[in-house]
Coordinates of all heavy atoms in Angstrom, one line a residue:
M46 N -22.9 14.3 19.1 CA -21.5 14.0 18.8 C -21.2 12.6 19.4 O -21.4 12.4 20.6 CB -20.6 15.0 19.5 CG -19.1 14.8 19.3 SD -18.2 16.3 19.2 CE -16.6 15.6 19.2
T47 N -20.7 11.8 18.6 CA -20.4 10.4 19.0 C -19.0 10.4 19.7 O -18.1 11.0 19.3 CB -20.4 9.4 17.9 OG1 -19.6 9.9 16.8 CG2 -21.8 9.1 17.4
R48 N -19.0 9.6 20.7 CA -17.7 9.4 21.5 C -16.9 8.4 20.7 O -17.3 7.3 20.4 CB -18.0 8.9 22.9 CG -17.1 9.5 23.9 CD -17.8 9.2 25.3 NE -17.8 7.7 25.5 CZ -17.1 7.1 26.4 NH1 -16.2 7.8 27.1 NH2 -17.2 5.8 26.6
R49 N -15.7 8.8 20.3 CA -14.8 7.9 19.6 C -14.2 6.9 20.5 O -13.8 7.2 21.6 CB -13.8 8.7 18.9 CG -14.3 9.6 17.9 CD -13.2 10.2 17.0 NE -12.6 9.2 16.2 CZ -12.9 9.1 14.9 NH1 -13.7 9.9 14.3 NH2 -12.4 8.1 14.2
P50 N -14.1 5.6 20.1 CA -13.4 4.6 20.9 C -11.9 5.0 21.1 O -11.3 5.6 20.2 CB -13.6 3.3 20.1 CG -13.8 3.7 18.7 CD -14.4 5.1 18.8
Q51 N -11.4 4.6 22.2 CA -10.0 4.9 22.5 C -9.3 3.6 22.8 O -9.9 2.7 23.4 CB -9.9 5.8 23.7 CG -10.6 7.1 23.6 CD -9.8 8.1 22.7 OE1 -8.8 8.6 23.2 NE2 -10.2 8.3 21.5
R52 N -8.1 3.5 22.3 CA -7.3 2.3 22.5 C -5.9 2.7 23.0 O -5.4 3.8 22.7 CB -7.1 1.5 21.2 CG -8.4 0.9 20.7 CD -8.9 -0.2 21.6 NE -10.1 -0.9 21.0 CZ -11.3 -0.4 21.3 NH1 -11.5 0.6 22.1 NH2 -12.4 -1.1 20.8
T53 N -5.3 1.8 23.8 CA -3.9 2.1 24.3 C -2.9 1.5 23.3 O -3.0 0.3 23.0 CB -3.8 1.5 25.7 OG1 -4.8 2.0 26.5 CG2 -2.4 1.8 26.2
C54 N -1.9 2.3 22.9 CA -0.8 1.8 22.1 C 0.0 0.9 23.0 O 0.4 1.3 24.1 CB 0.0 3.0 21.6 SG 1.5 2.5 20.8
V55 N 0.3 -0.3 22.5 CA 1.1 -1.3 23.4 C 2.6 -0.9 23.3 O 3.4 -1.5 24.0 CB 0.9 -2.7 23.0 CG1 -0.6 -3.1 23.1 CG2 1.4 -3.0 21.6
G56 N 2.9 0.1 22.5 CA 4.3 0.6 22.5 C 4.5 1.6 23.5 O 5.2 1.4 24.5
C57 N 3.9 2.8 23.3 CA 4.1 3.9 24.2 C 3.1 4.0 25.3 O 3.2 4.8 26.2 CB 4.1 5.2 23.4 SG 2.5 5.6 22.6
R58 N 2.0 3.2 25.2 CA 1.0 3.1 26.2 C 0.2 4.4 26.3 O -0.5 4.6 27.3 CB 1.6 2.7 27.6 CG 2.5 1.5 27.5 CD 2.6 0.8 28.8 NE 1.4 0.0 29.1 CZ 1.3 -0.8 30.1 NH1 2.3 -0.9 30.9 NH2 0.1 -1.4 30.4
R59 N 0.2 5.2 25.3 CA -0.6 6.4 25.3 C -2.0 5.9 24.7 O -2.1 5.1 23.9 CB 0.0 7.5 24.4 CG 1.0 8.3 25.1 CD 1.3 9.6 24.4 NE 1.9 9.3 23.1 CZ 3.1 9.4 22.8 NH1 4.0 9.6 23.8 NH2 3.6 9.1 21.6
V60 N -3.0 6.6 25.2 CA -4.4 6.3 24.7 C -4.6 7.2 23.5 O -4.3 8.4 23.6 CB -5.4 6.5 25.8 CG1 -6.8 6.3 25.3 CG2 -5.1 5.5 27.0
D61 N -5.2 6.6 22.5 CA -5.4 7.4 21.3 C -6.6 6.8 20.5 O -7.1 5.7 20.8 CB -4.1 7.3 20.4 CG -4.0 8.5 19.4 OD1 -5.0 9.2 19.3 OD2 -3.0 8.6 18.8
D62 N -7.0 7.5 19.5 CA -8.0 7.0 18.6 C -7.4 5.9 17.7 O -6.3 6.1 17.1 CB -8.4 8.2 17.7 CG -9.6 7.8 16.7 OD1 -9.7 6.7 16.3 OD2 -10.3 8.7 16.4
P63 N -8.0 4.7 17.7 CA -7.4 3.6 16.9 C -7.3 3.9 15.4 O -6.5 3.2 14.8 CB -8.4 2.4 17.2 CG -9.7 3.0 17.7 CD -9.2 4.3 18.4
A64 N -8.0 4.9 14.9 CA -7.8 5.3 13.5 C -6.4 5.8 13.3 O -5.9 5.8 12.1 CB -8.8 6.4 13.2
H65 N -5.7 6.2 14.3 CA -4.3 6.7 14.2 C -3.3 5.6 14.4 O -2.1 5.9 14.4 CB -4.1 7.8 15.2 CG -5.0 9.0 15.0 ND1 -5.3 9.8 16.1 CD2 -5.6 9.4 13.9 CE1 -6.1 10.8 15.6 NE2 -6.4 10.5 14.3
M66 N -3.8 4.4 14.7 CA -2.8 3.3 15.0 C -3.1 2.1 14.1 O -4.1 2.1 13.4 CB -3.0 2.9 16.5 CG -2.7 4.0 17.4 SD -2.8 3.5 19.2 CE -4.5 3.7 19.5
R67 N -2.2 1.2 14.1 CA -2.4 -0.1 13.4 C -2.8 -1.2 14.3 O -2.3 -1.2 15.5 CB -1.1 -0.5 12.7 CG -0.6 0.5 11.6 CD 0.4 -0.1 10.7 NE 0.8 0.9 9.7 CZ 2.0 1.4 9.5 NH1 2.9 1.0 10.3 NH2 2.2 2.2 8.6
R68 N -3.6 -2.0 13.9 CA -4.1 -3.1 14.7 C -3.4 -4.4 14.4 O -3.2 -4.7 13.2 CB -5.6 -3.3 14.5 CG -6.3 -4.3 15.5 CD -7.8 -4.2 15.4 NE -8.4 -5.0 16.4 CZ -8.8 -6.3 16.2 NH1 -8.7 -6.9 15.0 NH2 -9.4 -7.0 17.2
Y69 N -3.1 -5.2 15.4 CA -2.5 -6.5 15.2 C -3.3 -7.5 16.0 O -3.9 -7.2 17.1 CB -1.1 -6.5 15.7 CG -0.2 -5.5 14.9 CD1 -0.1 -4.2 15.3 CD2 0.5 -6.0 13.8 CE1 0.6 -3.3 14.5 CE2 1.3 -5.1 13.0 CZ 1.3 -3.8 13.4 OH 2.1 -2.9 12.6
V70 N -3.4 -8.7 15.5 CA -4.1 -9.8 16.2 C -3.1 -10.9 16.3 O -2.1 -11.0 15.6 CB -5.3 -10.2 15.5 CG1 -6.4 -9.1 15.5 CG2 -5.0 -10.6 14.0
L71 N -3.5 -11.8 17.3 CA -2.6 -13.0 17.5 C -3.2 -14.2 16.8 O -4.4 -14.5 17.0 CB -2.5 -13.2 19.0 CG -1.4 -14.1 19.5 CD1 -0.1 -13.5 19.2 CD2 -1.5 -14.4 21.0
V72 N -2.4 -14.9 16.0 CA -2.9 -16.1 15.3 C -1.9 -17.2 15.6 O -0.8 -17.1 15.1 CB -3.0 -15.8 13.7 CG1 -3.4 -17.1 13.0 CG2 -4.0 -14.7 13.4
D73 N -2.3 -18.2 16.3 CA -1.5 -19.3 16.7 C -0.2 -18.8 17.3 O 0.9 -19.3 17.0 CB -1.2 -20.1 15.5 CG -2.4 -20.9 14.9 OD1 -3.3 -21.1 15.7 OD2 -2.5 -21.2 13.8
G74 N -0.2 -17.8 18.2 CA 0.9 -17.3 18.9 C 1.8 -16.4 18.1 O 2.9 -16.0 18.6
V75 N 1.4 -16.0 16.9 CA 2.1 -15.1 16.1 C 1.4 -13.8 15.9 O 0.2 -13.8 15.6 CB 2.4 -15.8 14.7 CG1 3.2 -14.8 13.8 CG2 3.1 -17.1 14.8
V76 N 2.1 -12.7 16.1 CA 1.5 -11.4 15.9 C 1.4 -11.1 14.4 O 2.4 -11.2 13.7 CB 2.3 -10.3 16.6 CG1 1.7 -8.9 16.2 CG2 2.3 -10.6 18.1
V77 N 0.2 -10.9 13.9 CA 0.0 -10.5 12.5 C -0.7 -9.2 12.3 O -1.6 -8.9 13.2 CB -0.7 -11.6 11.7 CG1 0.1 -12.9 11.7 CG2 -2.1 -11.9 12.3
A78 N -0.4 -8.5 11.3 CA -1.1 -7.2 11.0 C -2.5 -7.5 10.7 O -2.9 -8.5 10.0 CB -0.4 -6.5 9.9
D79 N -3.4 -6.6 11.0 CA -4.8 -6.6 10.7 C -5.1 -5.3 10.0 O -5.7 -4.4 10.6 CB -5.6 -6.8 12.0 CG -7.1 -6.7 11.7 OD1 -7.5 -6.9 10.5 OD2 -7.8 -6.3 12.6
P80 N -4.8 -5.2 8.7 CA -5.0 -3.9 8.0 C -6.5 -3.5 7.9 O -6.7 -2.3 7.8 CB -4.4 -4.2 6.6 CG -4.2 -5.6 6.5 CD -4.1 -6.2 7.9
T81 N -7.4 -4.5 8.0 CA -8.8 -4.1 7.9 C -9.3 -3.6 9.3 O -10.3 -3.0 9.4 CB -9.6 -5.3 7.5 OG1 -9.6 -6.3 8.5 CG2 -9.1 -5.9 6.2
G82 N -8.5 -3.9 10.4 CA -9.0 -3.5 11.7 C -10.2 -4.3 12.2 O -10.8 -3.9 13.2
S83 N -10.5 -5.4 11.5 CA -11.8 -6.0 11.9 C -11.6 -7.5 12.1 O -12.6 -8.3 12.2 CB -12.8 -5.8 10.9 OG -12.4 -6.3 9.6
A84 N -10.3 -8.0 12.2 CA -10.1 -9.4 12.4 C -10.6 -9.8 13.8 O -10.6 -9.0 14.7 CB -8.7 -9.8 12.2
A85 N -11.1 -11.1 13.9 CA -11.6 -11.6 15.1 C -10.6 -11.7 16.2 O -9.4 -11.8 15.9 CB -12.3 -12.9 14.9
G86 N -11.0 -11.7 17.4 CA -10.0 -11.9 18.5 C -9.5 -10.7 19.1 O -9.8 -9.5 18.7
R87 N -8.7 -10.9 20.1 CA -8.1 -9.7 20.8 C -7.1 -9.0 19.9 O -6.3 -9.6 19.3 CB -7.4 -10.3 22.1 CG -6.5 -9.2 22.8 CD -5.8 -9.9 23.9 NE -6.6 -10.1 25.1 CZ -6.8 -9.3 26.0 NH1 -6.2 -8.1 26.0 NH2 -7.6 -9.5 27.1
G88 N -7.2 -7.7 19.9 CA -6.3 -7.0 19.1 C -5.4 -6.1 19.9 O -5.7 -5.8 21.1
A89 N -4.2 -5.8 19.3 CA -3.3 -4.8 20.0 C -3.1 -3.7 19.0 O -2.9 -3.9 17.8 CB -2.0 -5.5 20.3
H90 N -3.1 -2.5 19.5 CA -2.9 -1.3 18.7 C -1.5 -0.7 18.9 O -1.0 -0.6 20.0 CB -4.0 -0.3 19.0 CG -5.3 -0.7 18.5 ND1 -6.1 -1.6 19.2 CD2 -6.0 -0.3 17.4 CE1 -7.2 -1.7 18.5 NE2 -7.2 -1.0 17.4
V91 N -0.9 -0.3 17.8 CA 0.4 0.3 17.9 C 0.4 1.5 16.9 O -0.1 1.4 15.8 CB 1.5 -0.7 17.4 CG1 2.9 -0.1 17.6 CG2 1.4 -2.0 18.2
H92 N 1.0 2.6 17.4 CA 1.2 3.7 16.5 C 2.1 3.4 15.3 O 3.0 2.6 15.5 CB 1.8 4.9 17.2 CG 0.9 5.6 18.2 ND1 1.0 5.5 19.5 CD2 -0.2 6.4 17.9 CE1 0.1 6.2 20.1 NE2 -0.7 6.7 19.2
P93 N 1.9 3.9 14.1 CA 2.8 3.7 13.0 C 4.1 4.5 13.2 O 4.4 5.4 12.5 CB 2.0 4.2 11.8 CG 1.1 5.2 12.3 CD 0.8 4.8 13.7
D94 N 4.9 4.1 14.2 CA 6.0 4.8 14.6 C 7.1 3.8 15.0 O 6.8 2.8 15.7 CB 5.6 5.7 15.8 CG 6.8 6.5 16.4 OD1 7.5 5.9 17.2 OD2 6.9 7.6 16.0
D95 N 8.3 4.0 14.6 CA 9.4 3.1 14.9 C 9.6 2.8 16.4 O 9.8 1.6 16.8 CB 10.8 3.6 14.3 CG 10.8 3.5 12.8 OD1 10.0 2.8 12.2 OD2 11.7 4.2 12.2
E96 N 9.5 3.8 17.2 CA 9.7 3.7 18.6 C 8.6 2.8 19.2 O 8.9 1.9 20.0 CB 9.8 5.0 19.3 CG 10.1 5.0 20.8 CD 11.5 4.4 21.1 OE1 12.4 4.4 20.2 OE2 11.7 3.9 22.2
C97 N 7.4 3.1 18.9 CA 6.3 2.4 19.4 C 6.4 0.9 18.9 O 6.1 0.0 19.7 CB 4.9 2.9 18.9 SG 4.5 4.6 19.6
W98 N 6.8 0.7 17.7 CA 6.9 -0.7 17.2 C 7.9 -1.4 18.0 O 7.8 -2.6 18.4 CB 7.2 -0.6 15.7 CG 7.4 -2.0 15.1 CD1 8.6 -2.5 14.8 CD2 6.5 -3.0 14.9 NE1 8.4 -3.8 14.3 CE2 7.1 -4.2 14.4 CE3 5.1 -3.1 15.1 CZ2 6.5 -5.3 14.1 CZ3 4.4 -4.3 14.8 CH2 5.1 -5.4 14.3
R99 N 9.1 -0.8 18.2 CA 10.2 -1.5 18.9 C 9.7 -1.9 20.3 O 10.0 -3.0 20.8 CB 11.4 -0.6 19.0 CG 12.3 -0.6 17.7 CD 13.7 -0.1 18.0 NE 13.7 1.2 18.6 CZ 14.2 1.4 19.8 NH1 14.7 0.5 20.5 NH2 14.2 2.6 20.3
R100 N 9.1 -1.0 21.0 CA 8.6 -1.3 22.3 C 7.5 -2.3 22.3 O 7.5 -3.2 23.2 CB 8.0 0.0 23.0 CG 9.1 1.1 23.2 CD 8.5 2.0 24.2 NE 9.1 3.3 24.1 CZ 8.8 4.4 24.8 NH1 7.8 4.3 25.7 NH2 9.3 5.5 24.7
A101 N 6.7 -2.3 21.3 CA 5.7 -3.4 21.2 C 6.3 -4.7 21.0 O 6.0 -5.7 21.7 CB 4.7 -3.1 20.0
V102 N 7.3 -4.8 20.1 CA 8.0 -6.1 19.9 C 8.8 -6.5 21.2 O 8.9 -7.7 21.5 CB 8.9 -6.0 18.7 CG1 9.8 -7.2 18.6 CG2 8.1 -5.7 17.4
A103 N 9.3 -5.5 21.9 CA 10.2 -5.8 23.0 C 9.4 -6.3 24.2 O 9.9 -6.7 25.3 CB 11.0 -4.6 23.4
G104 N 8.0 -6.3 24.2 CA 7.3 -6.7 25.3 C 5.8 -6.3 25.3 O 5.0 -6.8 26.0
G105 N 5.5 -5.3 24.6 CA 4.2 -4.7 24.6 C 3.2 -5.7 24.1 O 2.1 -5.9 24.6
F106 N 3.5 -6.5 23.0 CA 2.6 -7.4 22.5 C 2.4 -8.6 23.5 O 1.2 -9.0 23.7 CB 3.1 -8.0 21.2 CG 2.9 -7.1 20.0 CD1 4.0 -6.9 19.1 CD2 1.7 -6.6 19.7 CE1 3.8 -6.0 18.0 CE2 1.5 -5.8 18.6 CZ 2.6 -5.5 17.7
A107 N 3.4 -9.1 24.1 CA 3.3 -10.2 25.0 C 2.5 -9.7 26.2 O 1.7 -10.5 26.7 CB 4.7 -10.6 25.5
R108 N 2.6 -8.5 26.6 CA 1.9 -8.0 27.8 C 0.4 -7.9 27.4 O -0.5 -8.3 28.1 CB 2.4 -6.6 28.2 CG 1.8 -6.1 29.4 CD 2.5 -4.8 29.8 NE 2.5 -3.8 28.8 CZ 3.6 -3.2 28.3 NH1 4.8 -3.5 28.8 NH2 3.5 -2.4 27.3
S109 N 0.2 -7.4 26.2 CA -1.2 -7.2 25.7 C -1.9 -8.5 25.5 O -3.1 -8.7 25.9 CB -1.2 -6.4 24.4 OG -2.5 -6.3 23.9
F110 N -1.2 -9.5 24.9 CA -1.9 -10.8 24.7 C -1.7 -11.7 25.8 O -2.2 -12.9 25.8 CB -1.3 -11.4 23.4 CG -1.6 -10.6 22.1 CD1 -0.6 -10.0 21.4 CD2 -2.9 -10.5 21.7 CE1 -0.9 -9.3 20.2 CE2 -3.3 -9.8 20.6 CZ -2.3 -9.2 19.8
R111 N -1.0 -11.3 26.9 CA -0.9 -12.1 28.1 C -0.2 -13.5 27.8 O -0.6 -14.5 28.4 CB -2.2 -12.3 28.8 CG -2.8 -11.0 29.3 CD -4.2 -11.2 29.6 NE -4.9 -9.9 29.7 CZ -5.1 -9.3 30.9 NH1 -4.6 -9.7 32.0 NH2 -5.7 -8.1 30.9
Q112 N 0.7 -13.6 26.9 CA 1.4 -14.8 26.6 C 2.6 -14.5 25.8 O 2.8 -13.4 25.3 CB 0.5 -15.8 25.8 CG 0.1 -15.3 24.5 CD -0.8 -16.2 23.8 OE1 -0.4 -17.1 23.1 NE2 -2.1 -16.1 24.0
R113 N 3.5 -15.5 25.7 CA 4.7 -15.3 24.8 C 4.2 -15.3 23.4 O 3.4 -16.1 23.0 CB 5.6 -16.5 25.1 CG 6.9 -16.3 24.4 CD 7.8 -17.5 24.7 NE 8.1 -17.5 26.1 CZ 9.3 -17.9 26.6 NH1 10.2 -18.3 25.8 NH2 9.5 -17.9 27.9
V114 N 4.7 -14.3 22.6 CA 4.3 -14.2 21.2 C 5.5 -14.2 20.3 O 6.7 -13.9 20.8 CB 3.5 -12.9 21.0 CG1 2.2 -12.9 21.9 CG2 4.3 -11.7 21.2
R115 N 5.3 -14.5 19.1 CA 6.3 -14.3 18.1 C 5.9 -13.2 17.1 O 4.7 -13.1 16.8 CB 6.5 -15.6 17.3 CG 7.3 -16.7 18.0 CD 7.6 -17.8 17.2 NE 6.4 -18.5 16.7 CZ 6.2 -19.0 15.5 NH1 7.1 -18.9 14.6 NH2 5.1 -19.6 15.2
V116 N 6.9 -12.4 16.7 CA 6.6 -11.3 15.8 C 7.4 -11.6 14.5 O 8.6 -11.6 14.5 CB 7.0 -9.9 16.4 CG1 6.6 -8.8 15.4 CG2 6.2 -9.7 17.7
E117 N 6.6 -11.9 13.4 CA 7.3 -12.3 12.2 C 7.2 -11.2 11.1 O 7.8 -11.2 10.1 CB 6.8 -13.6 11.7 CG 7.1 -14.7 12.7 CD 6.7 -16.1 12.2 OE1 5.9 -16.1 11.2 OE2 7.1 -17.1 12.7
C118 N 6.3 -10.2 11.4 CA 6.1 -9.2 10.5 C 7.0 -8.0 10.9 O 7.4 -7.9 12.1 CB 4.6 -8.7 10.3 SG 3.8 -8.4 11.9
S119 N 7.2 -7.1 10.1 CA 7.9 -5.9 10.4 C 7.0 -4.7 10.4 O 5.9 -4.8 9.9 CB 9.1 -5.6 9.5 OG 8.6 -5.3 8.2
E120 N 7.4 -3.6 11.0 CA 6.6 -2.4 11.0 C 6.1 -2.0 9.6 O 5.0 -1.7 9.4 CB 7.3 -1.3 11.7 CG 6.4 -0.2 12.3 CD 6.2 1.0 11.3 OE1 7.0 1.0 10.4 OE2 5.3 1.7 11.5
S121 N 7.0 -2.2 8.6 CA 6.7 -1.7 7.3 C 5.7 -2.7 6.6 O 5.0 -2.3 5.7 CB 7.9 -1.5 6.5 OG 8.7 -2.6 6.5
D122 N 5.7 -4.0 7.0 CA 4.9 -4.9 6.4 C 3.4 -4.6 6.7 O 2.5 -5.1 6.0 CB 5.1 -6.3 7.0 CG 6.3 -7.0 6.5 OD1 6.8 -6.5 5.5 OD2 6.8 -7.9 7.1
S123 N 3.2 -3.8 7.7 CA 1.8 -3.6 8.2 C 1.2 -2.4 7.5 O 0.1 -2.1 7.8 CB 1.8 -3.4 9.7 OG 2.6 -2.3 10.0
S124 N 1.8 -1.8 6.5 CA 1.2 -0.7 5.9 C -0.1 -1.1 5.2 O -0.2 -2.1 4.6 CB 2.2 -0.1 4.8 OG 3.4 0.2 5.3
P125 N -1.1 -0.3 5.4 CA -2.4 -0.6 4.8 C -2.3 -0.7 3.3 O -1.6 0.1 2.7 CB -3.3 0.5 5.2 CG -2.6 1.3 6.3 CD -1.1 1.0 6.1
T126 N -2.9 -1.7 2.8 CA -2.9 -1.9 1.3 C -3.9 -1.0 0.7 O -5.0 -0.9 1.2 CB -3.1 -3.3 0.9 OG1 -4.2 -3.8 1.6 CG2 -1.9 -4.2 1.2
R127 N -3.6 -0.3 -0.3 CA -4.6 0.6 -1.0 C -4.9 0.1 -2.4 O -4.0 -0.4 -3.0 CB -4.0 2.0 -1.1 CG -3.9 2.5 0.3 CD -3.3 3.9 0.4 NE -3.1 3.9 1.9 CZ -2.5 4.8 2.5 NH1 -2.1 5.8 1.9 NH2 -2.3 4.8 3.8
Ligands
ZN238 ZN1 2.5 4.6 20.5

């Protein structure tokens, strides 16, 4: 049995399987969605949940990326494309 990787949601700070969360990366100081989950660089994970998203925007992303960030996408923008 393989051990699944665990990531901390930057919104609620609960540890969870990243398959249950959305991944975001920082590009030139802007938080962008990473629907493939494989973009290079430091990633931040957030549950697909309004409350987690609000907390992430309110400071979770900045804390995770250790710098001031801009968030130009919305929670709904990040829906995986099918
Ligand atoms: Zn969460």
Side-chain angles (χ1 to χ4, degrees):
M46 179 146 172
T47 47
R48 219 164 63 110
R49 299 189 66 103
Q51 300 281 287
R52 293 288 182 274
T53 303
C54 171
V55 301
C57 64
R58 311 203 72 176
R59 281 195 295 265
V60 175
D61 201 352
D62 185 330
H65 300 154
M66 297 184 278
R67 295 196 178 117
R68 184 171 189 263
Y69 296 86
V70 293
L71 197 64
V72 178
D73 294 334
V75 180
V76 174
V77 296
D79 172 25
T81 67
S83 59
R87 172 185 282 269
H90 289 77
V91 185
H92 288 110
D94 177 276
D95 286 347
E96 182 66 22
C97 291
W98 176 253
R99 277 199 306 114
R100 291 197 208 178
V102 171
F106 283 129
R108 187 173 55 232
S109 175
F110 292 119
R111 297 166 197 266
Q112 62 181 274
R113 188 178 294 215
V114 301
R115 284 187 297 142
V116 180
E117 296 183 344
C118 53
S119 68
E120 200 264 345
S121 54
D122 284 343
S123 58
S124 304
T126 46
R127 290 180 194 172

